[in-house]
Amino acid sequence: MADTLAPSSSPSTGGAHGPEQGTKRDFLKLVTGSFAVIGVGAIAWPFIASMNPAKDVLALASTDVDLSHIAEGQAVTVMWRGKPVFVRHRTPQEIEQARSVEVSSLRDPEADAARVQKAPWLIVVGVCTHLGCVPLGQKPTDPRGDYGGWFCPCHGSEYDTSGRIRRGPAPLNLVVPEYAFTSDTQIRIG
Amino acid sequence: MASGLHESSFANPVVRWIDQRMPIFTMIQKEYGTFPTPRNFNYFWNFGALAMINLVIMIATGVFLAMNYAAHTSLAFESVERIMRDVNYGWLIRYVHMNGASMFFIVVYIHIWRGLYYGSYKAPRELLWMLGVVIFILMMATAFMGYVLPWGQMSFWGATVITNLFSAIPLVGDSIVTLLWGGFSVDNPTLNRFFSLHYLLPFVIVGVVFLHVAALHITGSNNPLGIDPKGPQDTVPFHPYYTAKDSVGMIVYFIVFAFLVFFVPNYLGHPDNYIPANPLSTPAHIVPEWYFLPFYAILRAVPNKLGGVLMMFGAIAILFVLPWLDRSPVRSMRFRPIAKWLMLLWSANFLVLMWAGGRPAEGTYVLIARLCTAYYFAYFLVILPLLSKVERPLPLPESISRAVLRGGGPLRGAAAAKPMEKA
């Protein structure tokens, strides 16, 4: 019972203890406090983890794309993890255009060869690296900016035929997602 | 001190700066630090704090469940299954929420029982008690609506039966039920509004709990002897004495809670609620969650639709007027030789009602439920008013410290010599 522990009924107990008892109290406070902090942390963990992608979300995290019916010069947009991915079948001129640029003059220097696995196929995430809009340029009627790639209508960023930033506020090139050719005409993104 | 600033006793400059402008630290110190609390609490006095913790757990788990729940008849069941199977630790959060509801009622029933046994409802704590009854009613409404959300068979048919209770109201009953449903049966509009209200009501409960605690801190706590503290020798500061004692209870509470969640998470539920709602087929044996069973038994004990509904709601509403039914000035049943046993009988009676409510409504079960219903009401309406007049209580101790400290305990100053202000 708590009452038997009370040495006095004074509302403040701190002053009544000697230094030795004070040390014991400090120890108990430290142990109790640490226990509480670890406990709360252990409880907080599953709550925070529950906000990360669930298993069904992760299960849909890769997308297969059939390239066989994308003609040269054509581009298609596929959904991958809730975002558009641009798959572009580049013409030889476009490849040439992308490869003739002096890499060191670029804002985000990256050689075209490092951004594609097979030269005709450019695969990039269609999200502007400025503030997340989807750039125009997939349809032949879309404005593609001065570099023949994509033009972001939100704040005027322009990308070239390798998806690299050439003009405007965006800091980085369009992201190349992780993908692999599962056959000559099939890729799996993610 | 600049004019308009609160005089703060805190030394830490940041704490002091805030405290001078908004004395929350002074308030916490006063209400939970030095707050003088009767020195003789037993473990029944843990359950208010436990209920508070439980409320916080329910809100926290509920907020995270709502992040993954879809309040639509075609999605609700599967979204709950997705929480169980796909969401990281979703099974844990849902099982804590589910069993948390049961734990909440266990804790609150013990808390209410404590109030009944030790006379915590009596003057000057009548309003405190009534606010508690309001919390209890809000809890039941919240629990009921929460149970509907998974949209299983028991959800659907529970919602149908409970909303149909209101059809017993003469003249406007059917219109009220249509209003509750937002249609002509329990359907998507019902589910949507239940979700909305299920999210709202816990915060209303938080508000009423605040009032409940505010009222408590005016009258001070009751205690197992039911007599008022007469001075500092009868009290101890809330911290560290009762923060420590509440922590002990809290650990036991968490052990029970964890046992339910990790070993028997579905023990207190119904398997039928893992069957998606089907408006064309009622499960053969439909009973509410265990915490509603005593009141469900009262409903079924009365062979009249309106009468049953009135008795059921009356069984809770009667608690509001309890402070005026029991006129005995002695709070604690320890000093009421007759009332004590009849109160314990009432407690057993409540458990029998709970058992009877879970049985089929036929034969002896109905008879038992009727006898228990009669005693439930007789205790409040006949026994307590009568005993207030005829019972001769045992002599009350002179003071808390006299009673709990053998040999009288340390008397401090003039406070100890203060005469008893009331019996």
Side-chain angles (χ1 to χ4, degrees):
Chain A
M1 293 279 289
D3 44 77
T4 56
L5 295 171
S8 78
S9 51
S10 155
S12 118
T13 49
H17 292 285
E20 205 180 324
Q21 283 164 305
T23 313
K24 187 177 171 189
R25 162 88 36 108
D26 288 346
F27 172 74
L28 288 172
K29 272 184 181 170
L30 197 67
V31 171
T32 313
S34 327
F35 198 77
V37 168
I38 293 167
V40 169
I43 289 164
W45 179 270
F47 282 86
I48 295 164
S50 81
M51 295 177 77
N52 265 323
K55 291 193 192 83
D56 61 329
V57 176
L58 296 175
L60 297 174
S62 58
T63 303
D64 289 307
V65 187
D66 183 7
L67 304 177
S68 58
H69 46 250
I70 305 173
E72 200 174 77
Q74 217 182 14
V76 298
T77 307
V78 295
M79 274 290 264
W80 175 65
R81 295 185 182 172
K83 287 182 286 199
V85 169
F86 297 157
V87 180
R88 190 144 157 183
H89 193 168
R90 298 189 294 183
T91 61
Q93 298 92 301
E94 284 175 331
I95 299 169
E96 174 53 30
Q97 207 183 331
R99 302 212 157 166
S100 61
V101 182
E102 178 62 46
V103 173
S104 60
S105 70
L106 297 172
R107 182 179 302 169
D108 183 8
E110 227 179 338
D112 182 66
R115 290 174 58 77
V116 294
Q117 293 182 13
K118 291 184 179 178
W121 297 102
L122 175 67
I123 291 133
V124 288
V125 176
V127 175
C128 182
T129 59
H130 180 222
L131 292 170
C133 296
V134 177
L136 299 172
Q138 287 294 86
K139 284 183 237 152
T141 52
D142 279 350
R144 286 182 166 179
D146 290 349
Y147 301 91
W150 290 272
F151 171 75
C152 183
C154 288
H155 307 96
S157 293
E158 293 175 40
Y159 297 90
D160 66 12
T161 53
S162 187
R164 293 173 297 200
I165 182 66
R166 299 298 288 273
R167 191 192 285 158
L172 297 171
N173 302 333
L174 293 179
V175 173
V176 177
E178 200 182 298
Y179 68 94
F181 278 86
T182 49
S183 74
D184 281 351
T185 57
Q186 279 268 336
I187 57 165
R188 171 168 295 163
I189 306 169
Chain B
M1 190 185 86
S3 69
L5 285 184
H6 174 76
E7 203 165 341
S8 177
S9 58
F10 287 89
N12 180 306
V14 177
V15 171
R16 187 181 175 81
W17 188 90
I18 295 170
D19 202 51
Q20 286 174 328
R21 284 154 183 82
M22 181 178 62
I24 48 169
F25 294 101
T26 299
M27 194 268 271
I28 293 168
Q29 176 71 11
K30 177 170 172 278
E31 304 298 345
Y32 290 99
T34 55
F35 190 68
T37 318
R39 67 191 306 157
N40 58 331
F41 279 0
N42 56 29
Y43 278 105
F44 282 115
W45 266 261
N46 278 172
F47 286 85
L50 293 180
M52 189 99 87
I53 293 165
N54 209 316
L55 179 58
V56 172
I57 291 173
M58 294 308 279
I59 290 177
T61 49
V63 166
F64 279 81
L65 286 175
M67 291 179 190
N68 287 298
Y69 172 74
H72 190 281
T73 48
S74 63
L75 301 171
F77 187 88
E78 283 175 22
S79 73
V80 172
E81 284 310 303
R82 181 178 167 270
I83 289 170
M84 294 302 291
R85 294 156 195 242
D86 287 344
V87 174
N88 305 317
Y89 295 102
W91 59 273
L92 177 63
I93 296 172
R94 175 162 176 266
Y95 277 157
V96 169
H97 196 74
M98 228 170 90
N99 288 285
S102 286
M103 288 301 291
F104 207 173
F105 277 95
I106 293 172
V107 164
V108 163
Y109 276 135
I110 296 173
H111 189 62
I112 295 173
W113 186 88
R114 194 280 317 271
L116 289 170
Y117 188 82
Y118 295 107
S120 303
Y121 50 84
K122 293 186 185 184
R125 300 185 183 84
E126 305 97 318
L127 185 61
L128 172 60
W129 169 262
M130 291 162 83
L131 287 167
V133 179
V134 171
I135 295 169
F136 179 52
I137 292 170
L138 287 171
M139 265 179 71
M140 292 202 288
T142 310
F144 158 64
M145 286 190 272
Y147 193 61
V148 175
L149 302 185
W151 210 242
Q153 273 289 66
M154 295 309 257
S155 300
F156 182 87
W157 292 102
T160 301
V161 169
I162 301 295
T163 49
N164 265 317
L165 290 177
F166 294 91
S167 71
I169 300 169
L171 302 176
V172 292
D174 284 333
S175 316
I176 288 179
V177 172
T178 306
L179 180 80
L180 290 174
W181 287 342
F184 303 102
S185 64
V186 173
D187 208 336
N188 198 46
T190 326
L191 179 62
N192 269 304
R193 64 190 58 184
F194 277 19
F195 180 55
S196 169
L197 293 172
H198 182 72
Y199 208 119
L200 168 70
L201 287 183
F203 296 97
V204 177
I205 294 176
V206 169
V208 185
V209 166
F210 180 82
L211 297 178
H212 189 66
V213 173
L216 172 72
H217 282 231
I218 295 297
T219 62
S221 297
N222 187 30
N223 63 78
L225 292 171
I227 58 176
D228 293 325
K230 296 186 176 61
Q233 76 282 1
D234 289 342
T235 65
V236 288
F238 188 84
H239 179 75
Y241 292 101
Y242 290 122
T243 43
K245 188 160 181 148
D246 283 346
S247 302
V248 175
M250 192 176 78
I251 288 166
V252 175
Y253 158 83
F254 277 130
I255 290 171
V256 176
F257 202 153
F259 177 77
L260 282 176
V261 168
F262 292 108
F263 293 93
V264 284
N266 289 302
Y267 176 70
L268 294 168
H270 300 290
D272 274 14
N273 217 30
Y274 286 103
I275 303 169
N278 177 2
L280 301 178
S281 149
T282 310
H285 187 51
I286 173 145
V287 284
E289 290 288 87
W290 69 268
Y291 38 81
F292 291 137
L293 289 176
F295 304 104
Y296 191 61
I298 291 174
L299 170 77
R300 298 192 307 184
V302 184
N304 172 288
K305 186 171 175 179
L306 180 60
V309 173
L310 287 178
M311 292 283 268
M312 187 184 74
F313 286 117
I316 300 158
I318 202 167
L319 297 174
F320 278 114
V321 291
L322 175 58
W324 295 276
L325 293 172
D326 180 4
R327 306 305 298 250
S328 167
V330 177
R331 294 195 192 105
S332 175
M333 289 293 177
R334 284 190 189 176
F335 305 105
R336 302 186 62 186
I338 305 170
K340 175 184 182 171
W341 294 109
L342 294 175
M343 194 274 154
L344 291 175
L345 182 61
W346 180 88
S347 315
N349 184 72
F350 186 80
L351 296 177
V352 174
L353 274 174
M354 191 179 281
W355 167 81
R359 301 278 111 197
E362 56 198 28
T364 5
Y365 299 125
V366 177
L367 181 67
I368 292 170
R370 283 182 186 161
L371 292 173
C372 290
T373 302
Y375 184 73
Y376 182 100
F377 284 98
Y379 175 75
F380 291 120
L381 293 172
V382 181
I383 293 173
L384 283 179
L386 204 64
L387 285 184
S388 310
K389 291 197 172 64
V390 303
E391 186 183 36
R392 192 183 170 85
L394 304 176
L396 293 177
E398 196 185 318
S399 74
I400 294 172
S401 55
R402 286 262 172 202
V404 299
L405 301 178
R406 222 161 293 150
L411 299 182
R412 288 173 60 90
K418 223 167 71 179
M420 288 170 70
E421 56 265 47
K422 69 170 100 151

